[in-house]
Amino acid sequence: VTISDLGEFGLIANFAARLPSDERTLVGIGDDAAVLAMPDGRVVASVDLLVEGRHFRRDWSGPGEIGGKAAAQNLADLAAMGADPTALLVGLAVPGDESAAWAQDLVSGVARECSAAGATVAGGDLTSADTVMIAITALGTLAGRAPVTRAGARPGDVLAVTGVLGHSAAGLALLAAGLTEPASLIAAHRWPHPPYPAGPQAATLGATAMIDISDGLVADLGHVARASGVQIDIDTSRLPRPQVLTEAASVLTGAGISGGPPGPLEWVLTGGEDHALAATFPPGTALPPAWTVAGLVGSGRGILVDGRVFAGRGGWGHFS
Amino acid sequence: VTISDLGEFGLIANFAARLPSDERTLVGIGDDAAVLAMPDGRVVASVDLLVEGRHFRRDWSGPGEIGGKAAAQNLADLAAMGADPTALLVGLAVPGDESAAWAQDLVSGVARECSAAGATVAGGDLTSADTVMIAITALGTLAGRAPVTRAGARPGDVLAVTGVLGHSAAGLALLAAGLTEPASLIAAHRWPHPPYPAGPQAATLGATAMIDISDGLVADLGHVARASGVQIDIDTSRLPRPQVLTEAASVLTGAGISGGPPGPLEWVLTGGEDHALAATFPPGTALPPAWTVAGLVGSGRGILVDGRVFAGRGGWGHFS
């Protein structure tokens, strides 16, 4: 059964039956627009586009993984503001001759990640296109907290991170080399699991700035440094560098990848798409165990790594 | 100067300088997510995807028109709920070798339509793709009003419409035939102007159901009839059928369009993309002059035209 067979409205009806909803959704799927409760009088909103061949490959990821990852990267943007996710709107452009089951699996992946984050799916749009494109809008609430922007870091603050770093990049390198182990890294590339509750937690702890690591730690902290007018010095000795990344580097070297693979440290510093959170906190803030102090904010400009200008690649640029 | 030359962040900085913003935007472009004031404790939200070659043709519409139309169709969804627009999020996928000026003109068109509707642009996403795709998210407020869904029409209600019907479809037929007159219809196809204030007005007047006409009057009223469990009988003698549509039909006949063009009435009944509003009101509601009574709600099912089952095409389906 193809998408064209079912048609736009048939497919949407199928989707609606399998999507999470709850009392926060005052008007849900099937009307001109959704209406959501935003009891604190503000809404936090973000949109991300994912394009087949650029953000995902259908031969490397199944539809559920593509949907789950699309949801995760957008929900992580809410967490990075200190917000709790409320609902997603899911825009999907897909060829009409694709199977309806494929599209339903993608939407099920979105729904599963929403449930993990405590969000619903409140609406969307479905259209035909030659390549798959996903546009996810995430809507969330600050529940009375002040938003944590990129612009509030101050000299003397400490940098802390939570979530995994470099796993997705290592998994991508393994996939590109046609390898299948370590499987946990490939899974991390296909479907990241951002530390959603840590975002509101950081806001409550008084975080001065926060960002999710979508393009790479150095690149994304560069945005914070620029917006805040500060320098951030990353202390690599404190960054988590799990054994599995060393294993991945060995496997890639053993497979004879030309020029040698990036090492674990480069993955940790420049790998994107894990959607870890990096935040700055006033000195002396008592941080819960999930947060790892990994640097200091100073009064200069830009990013240092262990006190020196970083010579490696900065991260991912969409038009580079 | 191409988009790749400027890069994602350079282009976004260029956009941000020319986008409307105001005090409703608590955190705007340049952070992980936007934060918008929603003083009545609810948000109305809708997303639409537009795909090059399906929803627009770059040889038929300039970038400003493409952006303006994308914004209009999404802002109209808010109006159809009875909401005032607050802000848009603009997702844009575009080839890296496209000129930066082209993308800026598109975003300027979005901004111009936002200003016309009283909305700002609060954020977005930019990525590369082989074809242009636009994902617009519209966020609005009901300002204390109840939302007007598709599901509240009751037997005995009157059907009324506001805005133009059939102009975009006639303009499309002229473009497809390589014609340039009547120019107002071609302009209406390229950049529709929905009657935004009429949406909140209808809600205040007690509208029982409302929809914007994106796929065609018969098709869209079909959604209302289905959701409300009623029958709607359209009285074509009361529908606006301006002289310019008759002119367009004559021009097309004169150009020898094979099989003959649809007549003005078929454009009015089945033409989409003008984003007129159709609403049902309790009997006896005193309607302002901009609203035209054009039918009655009955206790059956589906749509009648002048008391008979409509034999023409129903409207536009994205996978048909």
Side-chain angles (χ1 to χ4, degrees):
Chain A
V1 183
T2 69
I3 292 171
S4 292
D5 293 337
L6 275 185
E8 181 185 2
F9 299 111
L11 198 57
I12 289 173
N14 269 22
F15 290 163
R18 66 187 70 202
L19 292 175
S21 186
D22 65 24
E23 73 289 349
R24 293 171 296 183
T25 304
L26 307 175
V27 176
I29 292 166
D31 223 297
D32 293 290
V35 183
L36 299 163
M38 287 290 158
D40 92 343
R42 297 169 296 174
V43 64
V44 184
S46 173
V47 66
D48 271 321
L49 298 189
L50 288 93
V51 180
E52 177 180 353
R54 283 173 170 79
H55 299 92
F56 59 87
R57 284 176 54 159
R58 291 164 72 179
D59 54 337
W60 284 1
S61 297
E65 293 162 338
I66 293 167
K69 183 171 183 167
Q73 77 171 55
N74 223 311
L75 291 162
D77 282 327
L78 298 181
M81 298 301 289
D84 299 303
T86 303
L88 298 190
L89 307 177
V90 182
L92 179 59
V94 61
D97 59 5
E98 184 52 76
S99 75
W102 190 91
Q104 283 161 0
D105 286 349
L106 187 150
V107 172
S108 293
V110 172
R112 199 170 131 196
E113 191 65 19
C114 279
S115 294
T120 69
V121 176
D125 190 24
L126 180 65
T127 190
S128 60
D130 292 333
T131 54
V132 176
M133 177 125 104
I134 308 165
I136 298 215
T137 302
L139 303 170
T141 178
L142 287 160
R145 295 178 294 268
V148 184
T149 70
R150 300 175 178 184
R154 293 167 302 205
D157 285 352
V158 296
L159 167 70
V161 296
T162 189
V164 302
L165 290 167
H167 288 211
S168 179
L172 178 61
L174 294 166
L175 276 170
L179 300 170
T180 56
E181 297 287 343
S184 69
L185 297 179
I186 292 171
H189 176 72
R190 287 179 170 148
W191 192 330
H193 297 294
Y196 302 117
Q201 180 185 51
T204 302
L205 290 165
T208 51
M210 185 154 51
I211 195 165
D212 80 297
I213 309 304
S214 52
D215 294 338
L217 184 65
V218 171
D220 286 315
L221 285 178
H223 298 312
V224 172
R226 213 157 19 246
S228 296
V230 297
Q231 185 172 70
I232 301 176
D233 189 355
I234 301 170
D235 178 352
T236 61
S237 72
R238 308 189 68 167
L239 284 174
R241 213 178 316 170
Q243 181 58 28
V244 69
L245 294 183
T246 309
E247 284 167 33
S250 299
V251 168
L252 283 161
T253 302
I257 299 306
S258 78
L265 182 59
E266 189 169 352
W267 283 324
V268 167
L269 288 173
T270 69
E273 298 202 311
D274 289 304
H275 303 287
L277 293 173
T280 56
F281 294 92
T285 304
L287 291 172
W291 287 90
T292 302
V293 171
L296 268 178
V297 180
S299 58
R301 292 288 179 274
I303 302 299
L304 301 179
V305 174
D306 297 330
R308 301 166 59 181
V309 173
F310 181 60
R313 299 173 306 167
W316 174 255
H318 288 299
F319 290 101
S320 62
Chain B
V1 182
T2 69
I3 292 171
S4 291
D5 294 337
L6 275 185
E8 182 185 2
F9 300 112
L11 198 57
I12 289 173
N14 269 22
F15 290 163
R18 67 187 69 201
L19 292 174
S21 187
D22 64 24
E23 73 290 348
R24 292 172 297 183
T25 304
L26 307 175
V27 176
I29 292 166
D31 223 297
D32 293 290
V35 183
L36 299 163
M38 287 291 158
D40 91 342
R42 297 170 296 174
V43 63
V44 184
S46 175
V47 65
D48 270 321
L49 298 188
L50 288 93
V51 180
E52 177 180 353
R54 282 174 169 81
H55 299 92
F56 58 88
R57 282 176 55 158
R58 291 165 73 179
D59 55 336
W60 284 1
S61 297
E65 292 161 339
I66 293 167
K69 182 170 184 166
Q73 76 170 55
N74 223 311
L75 291 162
D77 282 327
L78 299 181
M81 298 302 289
D84 298 302
T86 303
L88 298 190
L89 307 177
V90 183
L92 179 60
V94 62
D97 59 4
E98 183 53 75
S99 76
W102 190 92
Q104 283 161 0
D105 286 349
L106 187 150
V107 171
S108 294
V110 172
R112 198 169 132 199
E113 191 65 18
C114 278
S115 294
T120 69
V121 176
D125 190 24
L126 180 65
T127 191
S128 60
D130 292 332
T131 54
V132 176
M133 178 132 35
I134 307 166
I136 299 216
T137 303
L139 302 171
T141 178
L142 287 159
R145 295 179 295 269
V148 184
T149 71
R150 301 174 177 183
R154 292 167 303 206
D157 285 351
V158 297
L159 167 70
V161 298
T162 188
V164 302
L165 290 165
H167 288 212
S168 179
L172 177 62
L174 293 167
L175 276 170
L179 301 170
T180 56
E181 297 285 344
S184 69
L185 296 179
I186 291 171
H189 175 72
R190 287 179 169 148
W191 193 328
H193 297 293
Y196 302 117
Q201 179 186 53
T204 302
L205 290 165
T208 52
M210 185 155 52
I211 196 165
D212 81 296
I213 308 305
S214 51
D215 294 337
L217 184 64
V218 172
D220 287 315
L221 284 178
H223 299 311
V224 172
R226 216 162 10 250
S228 297
V230 297
Q231 185 173 71
I232 301 176
D233 189 355
I234 301 169
D235 178 352
T236 62
S237 73
R238 308 190 66 169
L239 284 174
R241 214 178 316 171
Q243 180 59 27
V244 69
L245 293 182
T246 309
E247 285 168 32
S250 299
V251 168
L252 283 161
T253 303
I257 299 305
S258 78
L265 181 59
E266 189 169 351
W267 283 324
V268 167
L269 289 173
T270 69
E273 298 201 312
D274 288 305
H275 303 288
L277 293 173
T280 55
F281 295 91
T285 304
L287 292 173
W291 287 90
T292 302
V293 171
L296 269 177
V297 180
S299 58
R301 293 287 179 275
I303 302 298
L304 301 179
V305 174
D306 297 331
R308 301 165 61 182
V309 173
F310 180 60
R313 297 174 306 165
W316 174 255
H318 288 298
F319 290 100
S320 63

